[in-house]
Amino acid sequence: MALKTAVMAHKTAIIRKEHFNAAHRLHNPHWSDEKNREIFGKCNNPNYHGHNYDLEVKVTGFIDQDSGYVMDAKILKNLIREHVVDKYDHKNLNLDTEEFKELNPTAENIAKVIFENLRQVLSDELELKIKLYETERNIVEYPAD
Amino acid sequence: MALKTAVMAHKTAIIRKEHFNAAHRLHNPHWSDEKNREIFGKCNNPNYHGHNYDLEVKVTGFIDQDSGYVMDAKILKNLIREHVVDKYDHKNLNLDTEEFKELNPTAENIAKVIFENLRQVLSDELELKIKLYETERNIVEYPAD
Amino acid sequence: MALKTAVMAHKTAIIRKEHFNAAHRLHNPHWSDEKNREIFGKCNNPNYHGHNYDLEVKVTGFIDQDSGYVMDAKILKNLIREHVVDKYDHKNLNLDTEEFKELNPTAENIAKVIFENLRQVLSDELELKIKLYETERNIVEYPAD
Amino acid sequence: MALKTAVMAHKTAIIRKEHFNAAHRLHNPHWSDEKNREIFGKCNNPNYHGHNYDLEVKVTGFIDQDSGYVMDAKILKNLIREHVVDKYDHKNLNLDTEEFKELNPTAENIAKVIFENLRQVLSDELELKIKLYETERNIVEYPAD
Amino acid sequence: MALKTAVMAHKTAIIRKEHFNAAHRLHNPHWSDEKNREIFGKCNNPNYHGHNYDLEVKVTGFIDQDSGYVMDAKILKNLIREHVVDKYDHKNLNLDTEEFKELNPTAENIAKVIFENLRQVLSDELELKIKLYETERNIVEYPAD
Amino acid sequence: MALKTAVMAHKTAIIRKEHFNAAHRLHNPHWSDEKNREIFGKCNNPNYHGHNYDLEVKVTGFIDQDSGYVMDAKILKNLIREHVVDKYDHKNLNLDTEEFKELNPTAENIAKVIFENLRQVLSDELELKIKLYETERNIVEYPAD
């Protein structure tokens, strides 16, 4: 079965969706208030605003012949809950987390931090990508394809 | 055309969808901190969290024979922008608005306040209903059918 | 089984979703071109524009004890295909249909015409409602609840 | 504040979405195999097929002035988990449940059974409605509006 | 028109969405019942459970200058219907199909089998990718990007 | 912080969603009417039909350390409005635009034209991809991954 053998050489990706709700404010402390308002507009509101963040975590590897899994989706779900949802859900990203005390919580930076959180707990043989929906119309991918 | 005449007697509804992003915190100032945490859980986080609120405004009336409209959807969209989106988008509901200084910003109360805002600027001949999605899984309707 | 008997008295609704793609133009031939442009704006473009119309047909009645159906969804689907989709899909509503030669094809009027098409082929014991999505953000219901 | 007083008289609905995945087969044991195949088509496949059922539970009542809730959505979520999701998720409805041993598991009947399960554990002052998506295109409501 | 010429060199992808509903059970016959339950949990239920599988088939190639198509979407739709939907819709994957008699019907393996089915009937000049939604939250891609 | 430095080397993508509604007709003027009907079927209807086009514009680059942005999403939104939405929304693509006077407005060609429009106004350091939904089930990507 040459065809099947060849096909087995492809990697497969699994994607798990989770979500969390958080408050944030875009602000660069090294800029004047005026420049912050000019660059970040209403996203700079000092009293914060918030989002329902939808998160897709994509893990790529080879299908295990015994289980038929790239990775058990329940294990991936639990890793996301522990290292992402429990840390950021119903939190104020600027005030309640260490990660965004110095780092501006743009969607780009949130995706990068989530990547770093999960990269440390996933096997090196598995590739990782993050897709984060800040709103239905504003989405980021890290790393980009 | 007896059938058409009969059918014309039905009312028709138009629904316009808009959205806004806001921070909030559930809190009853007449309760102890302990009771607030017990009842509202992580929604009571003192530093706020946030949501992308999706809003459906439903207006019911008779179709105007000349325009074919119950109401011009552009006018409805502008009323929603002026009386809802501009007031709450990218705001902290507890701190930045008068309406929720004393009123707990649950999804139920937000829907009721939006109803009251729009009821005052819509013609009395038109019925009004609000459907508010706090998350994809938590939704309220005011008034209920 | 008093509870079950009581509950059996409730009616049940089934909803079937279908869609069609059509071109249209909003225009009242009894108005001047100027008034048409003022009222209908870019929807009055003489060369037409178009939409993917998503349609929900809701049929309400009692559950048949033998089949467990209010109405066979396959039969409903075929009625919608014959009396709605085949008539309007990939058509110019103003030019290619009799119904909208004199009647302005607003979402309200399209929903009413679809209601009338289906009302004539459904059993009198079944109630009928139409929900039509002109876009994700502009929706009509006929008759309104 | 006459307006607010009047408005307070309206009931409010909250909707909670959950989902479960199950196998089923449509079959009336009092009919011949031939009639079952004729009426239920491929849904009568003796080896079963399955669905991701999306469930909306709508509870209507007055807003509690202290909490701002019609009902705590966390409590509603837990009731749905206990009385619906834990009973039907990843089950074969025909073989693994008492409810559908004699009752044909059409979407209509599943919605009615879910209604009866939840009706018994909700306060009498709250109204209840079930909306069940068997697929994106086949939906039922019980009781109908 | 150097720019246009350069741009023409890019490949284009078309994606067609279809769906099917099926029952399955995760089970490795070479493992003990205990190990199967441990690894696959409730997905190992001996009486099966089911899903609405949403399928995206992505075909990549150059745009034909005469038709403006990479490939006629109607032809792609018919290939998917013949080689995927008609084979798996309303079926029990473990019992009713040859492909999954020995192969565990995880989402990963189903995507791989669908890829192999379609790879054999598509022109060699066209690249093929499969994206399969087992639920809204569990998705696989084969081959991975 | 070797890990962070390494991670910074990844590019990030932002995606902005917009939409427009347009009429079109598939037609190759160098073919006979008969061949046009054979190849394009009901999409060849001489009076046009239409779609709600959903558009995803993906821009890839490095995160700016000061703003935390790959590119300000408001600027991207304004570029899409100016160079895509204002040109095609509520238009007949065949009659009202220069781009599709000679070019068949298939989804593939529309995506390519949108790419060319935006490529000219984006910085060379940013990569660009277009995803266009003609319907929920027919989608194109240009350039393909």
Side-chain angles (χ1 to χ4, degrees), chain B residues 111-126:
Chain B
K112 190 163 74 72
V113 164
I114 291 172
F115 174 86
E116 291 167 7
N117 288 358
L118 290 172
R119 184 64 280 177
Q120 298 179 38
V121 294
L122 273 183
S123 157
D124 283 351
E125 289 149 30
L126 297 169

Side-chain angles (χ1 to χ4, degrees), chain E residues 56-73:
Chain E
E56 292 182 12
V57 175
K58 182 173 172 175
V59 172
T60 301
F62 289 105
I63 301 176
D64 177 80
Q65 298 299 302
D66 291 325
S67 66
Y69 282 162
V70 168
M71 176 185 179
D72 186 333

Side-chain angles (χ1 to χ4, degrees), chain F residues 76-137:
Chain F
L76 179 55
K77 170 183 165 180
N78 289 338
L79 287 174
I80 301 169
R81 296 250 165 127
E82 183 180 350
H83 297 281
V84 182
V85 175
D86 289 351
K87 293 177 80 165
Y88 308 129
D89 188 36
H90 283 75
K91 296 286 170 61
N92 182 309
L93 297 178
N94 305 66
L95 300 180
D96 296 333
T97 76
E98 284 306 309
E99 296 87 326
F100 300 104
K101 287 237 155 65
E102 294 296 316
L103 188 65
N104 199 5
T106 58
E108 288 93 328
N109 280 335
I110 299 171
K112 191 164 74 72
V113 164
I114 291 172
F115 174 86
E116 291 167 8
N117 289 358
L118 290 172
R119 183 65 279 176
Q120 298 180 38
V121 294
L122 273 183
S123 157
D124 282 352
E125 290 149 29
L126 298 169
E127 295 162 40
L128 176 65
K129 276 183 194 297
I130 301 300
K131 189 169 185 176
L132 184 73
Y133 296 72
E134 190 177 66
T135 70
E136 247 185 324
R137 296 182 172 276

Side-chain angles (χ1 to χ4, degrees), chain B residues 17-29:
Chain B
K17 286 196 185 183
E18 295 290 336
H19 75 274
F20 57 96
N21 313 313
H24 79 152
R25 173 202 189 193
L26 300 187
H27 185 74
N28 180 340

Side-chain angles (χ1 to χ4, degrees), chain D residues 7-70:
Chain D
V7 165
M8 293 304 290
H10 290 309
K11 287 193 172 182
T12 303
I14 66 167
I15 297 168
R16 175 74 196 170
K17 286 198 185 182
E18 296 290 337
H19 74 275
F20 58 95
N21 312 315
H24 77 155
R25 171 201 191 196
L26 299 187
H27 185 74
N28 180 339
H30 305 296
W31 288 348
S32 67
D33 284 358
E34 197 178 24
K35 178 154 188 191
N36 270 294
R37 273 194 301 272
E38 181 199 326
I39 299 294
F40 296 123
K42 57 188 178 179
C43 299
N44 183 239
N45 174 11
N47 285 329
Y48 310 97
H49 64 283
H51 296 291
N52 302 339
Y53 290 96
D54 276 312
L55 172 65
E56 292 182 11
V57 175
K58 182 175 175 174
V59 172
T60 301
F62 289 105
I63 301 177
D64 176 80
Q65 297 299 302
D66 290 325
S67 66
Y69 282 162
V70 167

Side-chain angles (χ1 to χ4, degrees), chain A residues 19-22 84-91, chain B residues 42 49:
Chain A
H19 74 274
F20 57 95
N21 312 314
V84 182
V85 175
D86 289 351
K87 294 178 79 162
Y88 307 129
D89 188 35
H90 283 74
K91 295 286 170 61
Chain B
K42 58 188 179 182
H49 64 282

